[in-house]
């Protein structure tokens, strides 16, 4: 690393000024990087980026002259030069006393938003989650994500300034809805400003960049996994390796969820071979094995994001497991192998578990008088219900008499005259759903 003595880092002939001239910056250095560089010495009130033929120069303006002097003095006496992205930056006083007619990027409305995701798990927020959030306000053309000094950031391109402004006004300072994030990701807030860009350049579909206007864009080599298979599809969405075993995580557990309840829910789509339940990360999870991948795919697409009970209780989040054949050593209240013939079923009422979570107990769901009595308003063509499912009863895959009792508002099971379950669709992300 070069010291200041061997590099022409300063030019002393210029009188002190609140405005500093920076040279040898990385290509397309951002305003955020300049502010971060000057922050230890004072408040940066204005910047001018990407100046010069090579676009590797910039100006920063401090609120006070002494702050600019402090920055110059520090790096003049330090053995470590100022750096941005590992490149040595050369500093000097500017011959101007202020940056004139240069509004900051954040003041000029445009069709591209600069989004900073704040939170300890910000880097775990996927590009698909960002697309869901911002698509609530209009068609999203492109998204790119990257890491800067300011943190994990994204550029989101809309069709026009009006749509971008609507999204910015609604989302700036808000948190990403909890139900859109994986269980292991904590709360993440959005800080949004306007970007100077008008049209993002996306050369490949990948987990870091996406062009939704061009589904035929090549897939980046980095988006191909070790087996040689594409990890993102032609539409740019990340592909999750399919499996005949599903991993179900249950959120907002206000009622106890037993193995029999899970068997009832997942048997709506095909014969369930095995189930194993376990506690992880303070919540309940389960592995559900089907005989084939196709059945698991149908179940995942139908159940993801829906609730076992009305009111948003016991919400299902489902992904594919790496397992293909579960090892069930004993049939009990936490695991069961349904492929073993003549296996006695545990009495559903005696198998109700009382789980501990955050110091409170989950009571079993109160029994309903009779399953063949549908709830009020259930006609021949049941309406779709967001976030919970209205299903028919008498499931063909379950032996008679093995149905556990169902609580009020619990999803009804399909099977009557071979009809498929009626699944309500999840509503799109809306501004009023943001936390």
């Amino acid at each position: 690393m070069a010291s200041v003595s061997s590099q022409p880092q300063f030019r002393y002939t210029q009188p002190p000024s609140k405005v500093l001239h920076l040279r040898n910056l990385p290509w397309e250095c951002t305003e955020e990087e300049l502010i971060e560089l000057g922050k230890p010495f004072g408040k940066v009130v204005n910047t001018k980026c990407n100046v010069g033929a090579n676009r590797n120069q910039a100006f920063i303006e401090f609120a006070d002259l002494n702050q600019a002097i402090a920055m110059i003095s520090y790096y003049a006496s330090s053995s470590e030069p100022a750096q941005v992205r590992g490149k040595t930056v050369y500093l000097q006083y500017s011959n101007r006393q202020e940056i004139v007619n240069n509004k900051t990027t954040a003041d000029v409305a445009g069709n591209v938003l600069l989004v900073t995701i704040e939170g300890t798990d910000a880097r775990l927020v996927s590009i698909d989650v960002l697309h869901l959030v911002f698509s609530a306000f209009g068609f999203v053309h492109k998204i790119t994500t990257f890491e800067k000094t300011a943190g994990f950031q994204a550029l989101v391109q809309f069709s026009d300034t009006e749509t971008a402004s609507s999204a910015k006004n609604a989302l700036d300072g808000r948190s990403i809805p909890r139900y859109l994030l994986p269980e292991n990701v904590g709360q993440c807030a959005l800080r949004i400003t306007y970007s100077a860009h008008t049209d993002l350049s996306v050369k490949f579909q990948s987990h870091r960049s996406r062009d939704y206007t061009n589904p035929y864009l090549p897939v980046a080599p980095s988006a191909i996994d070790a087996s040689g298979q594409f990890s993102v599809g032609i539409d740019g969405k990340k592909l999750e390796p399919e499996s005949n075993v599903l991993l179900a995580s249950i959120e907002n557990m206000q009622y106890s969820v037993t193995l029999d309840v899970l068997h009832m829910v997942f048997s709506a789509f095909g014969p369930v071979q095995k189930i194993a339940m376990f506690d992880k990360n303070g919540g309940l999870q389960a592995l559900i094995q089907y005989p084939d991948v196709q059945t698991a795919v149908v179940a995942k697409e139908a159940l993801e994001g829906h609730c076992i009970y009305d009111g948003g209780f016991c919400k299902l989040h489902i992904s594919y497991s790496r397992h293909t054949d579960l090892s069930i050593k004993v049939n009990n209240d936490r695991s069961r192998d349904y492929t073993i013939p003549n296996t006695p079923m545990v009495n559903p009422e005696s198998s109700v578990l009382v789980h501990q979570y955050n110091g409170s107990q989950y009571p079993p769901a109160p029994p309903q008088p009779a399953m063949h009595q549908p709830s009020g308003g259930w006609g021949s063509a049941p309406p779709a219900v967001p976030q919970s499912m209205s299903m028919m009863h008498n499931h063909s895959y379950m032996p008679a008499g093995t149905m556990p009792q169902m609580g009020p508002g619990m999803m009804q099971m399909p099977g009557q005259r071979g009809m498929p379950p009626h699944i309500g669709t999840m509503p799109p992300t809306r501004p009023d759903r943001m936390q």
Side-chain angles (χ1 to χ4, degrees):
M1 183 176 296
S3 65
V4 294
S5 59
S6 61
Q7 295 287 341
Q9 191 175 7
F10 299 98
R11 190 176 299 167
Y12 296 101
T13 58
Q14 197 68 35
S17 167
K18 293 188 299 181
V19 179
L20 300 184
H21 179 206
L22 285 67
R23 296 175 290 120
N24 199 44
L25 289 162
W27 186 71
E28 285 196 349
C29 181
T30 66
E31 178 188 34
E32 288 77 15
E33 290 175 309
L34 297 178
I35 293 174
E36 193 71 21
L37 183 64
K39 186 186 296 183
F41 306 96
K43 183 179 180 180
V44 176
V45 295
N46 209 348
T47 65
K48 187 176 181 66
C49 308
N50 303 315
V51 178
N54 296 323
R55 300 176 63 84
N56 64 346
Q57 301 180 44
F59 296 91
I60 62 173
E61 179 183 342
F62 284 97
D64 183 78
L65 176 62
N66 291 329
Q67 297 170 350
I69 294 174
M71 185 172 184
I72 291 290
S73 300
Y74 174 82
Y75 285 114
S77 60
S78 174
S79 61
E80 297 295 330
Q83 290 190 335
V84 174
R85 288 189 233 161
K87 289 192 67 175
T88 297
V89 178
Y90 306 137
L91 309 173
Q92 67 188 59
Y93 294 115
S94 171
N95 58 6
R96 64 183 75 184
Q97 295 300 313
E98 62 178 342
I99 299 176
V100 183
N101 298 327
N102 180 48
K103 289 186 176 181
T104 62
T105 306
D107 294 329
V108 182
N111 66 314
V112 179
L113 299 178
L114 173 63
V115 182
T116 302
I117 299 97
E118 298 180 343
T120 55
D121 299 322
R123 289 166 177 80
L124 300 179
V125 176
S126 70
I127 199 169
D128 294 316
V129 168
L130 293 174
H131 183 252
L132 279 173
V133 170
F134 285 90
S135 290
F137 303 89
F139 178 66
V140 173
H141 285 224
K142 301 173 185 178
I143 299 179
T144 62
T145 62
F146 47 90
E147 294 188 34
K148 296 288 187 181
T149 308
F152 185 62
Q153 296 182 308
L155 290 169
V156 181
Q157 178 179 332
F158 286 100
S159 306
D160 50 64
T161 301
E162 290 75 17
T163 307
S165 298
S166 176
K168 177 182 180 297
N169 294 336
L171 298 176
D172 187 23
R174 301 289 188 91
S175 295
I176 297 175
R178 192 68 193 88
Y179 67 86
L180 290 179
L181 299 173
E183 288 189 348
N184 62 321
V185 177
Q187 182 175 348
C188 295
L190 302 174
R191 302 293 175 185
I192 305 174
T193 59
Y194 294 107
S195 169
H197 295 280
T198 57
D199 187 18
L200 303 179
S201 176
V202 177
K203 298 180 179 179
F204 298 98
Q205 308 281 25
S206 74
H207 67 290
R208 300 299 296 269
S209 62
R210 203 71 52 82
D211 184 345
Y212 299 97
T213 66
N214 185 7
Y216 302 105
L217 202 64
V219 177
S222 61
I224 302 177
D225 60 24
S227 66
Q229 299 297 316
F230 288 113
S231 60
V232 296
I234 196 169
D235 60 354
K237 293 185 177 180
K238 187 176 181 180
L239 294 178
E240 188 179 10
E242 296 175 349
S243 170
N244 66 311
V245 178
L246 300 178
L247 172 63
S249 302
I250 304 171
E251 178 185 295
N252 194 19
M253 285 187 56
Q254 299 298 320
Y255 293 104
S256 104
V257 175
T258 67
L259 186 144
D260 295 308
V261 168
L262 289 176
H263 182 261
M264 182 191 313
V265 170
F266 285 88
S267 290
F269 307 92
V272 171
Q273 292 184 324
K274 301 175 184 178
I275 299 180
M277 298 169 57
F278 52 95
D279 296 308
K280 186 175 182 181
N281 298 329
L284 179 66
Q285 297 186 0
L287 291 167
I288 299 94
Q289 178 178 328
Y290 286 104
D292 53 72
V293 173
Q294 290 76 10
T295 307
V297 170
V298 172
K300 178 181 181 297
E301 291 180 353
L303 295 174
E304 167 60 30
H306 289 280
C307 302
I308 298 177
Y309 298 97
D310 284 335
F313 299 134
C314 303
K315 187 173 184 178
L316 293 170
H317 292 287
I318 303 174
S319 60
Y320 294 109
S321 170
R322 295 182 180 179
H323 296 282
T324 57
D325 188 17
L326 303 180
S327 177
I328 305 296
K329 297 181 179 179
V330 60
N331 286 339
N332 55 27
D333 289 335
R334 304 284 280 183
S335 61
R336 193 163 304 167
D337 185 344
Y338 297 93
T339 64
I340 301 176
N342 302 322
T343 301
M345 299 289 288
V346 178
N347 186 324
E349 292 187 1
S350 65
S351 67
V352 171
L353 303 178
V354 179
H355 302 289
Q356 298 287 337
Y357 188 65
N358 291 337
S360 61
Q361 292 185 339
Y362 296 126
Q368 195 164 278
M371 290 186 59
H372 63 275
Q373 297 286 342
S375 59
W378 187 34
S380 57
V385 182
Q387 299 196 35
S388 63
M389 291 176 286
S390 297
M391 293 185 174
M392 301 178 68
H393 60 285
N394 296 332
H395 184 333
S396 58
Y397 294 112
M398 295 190 65
T402 62
M403 284 278 198
Q405 295 293 320
M406 300 183 67
M410 185 173 178
M411 58 173 74
Q412 305 296 313
M413 302 311 300
Q416 189 176 42
R417 294 187 298 277
M419 292 179 63
H422 184 80
I423 308 298
T425 58
M426 289 289 290
T429 308
R430 294 170 40 192
D432 56 7
R433 293 292 302 276
M434 303 296 290
Q435 299 175 0

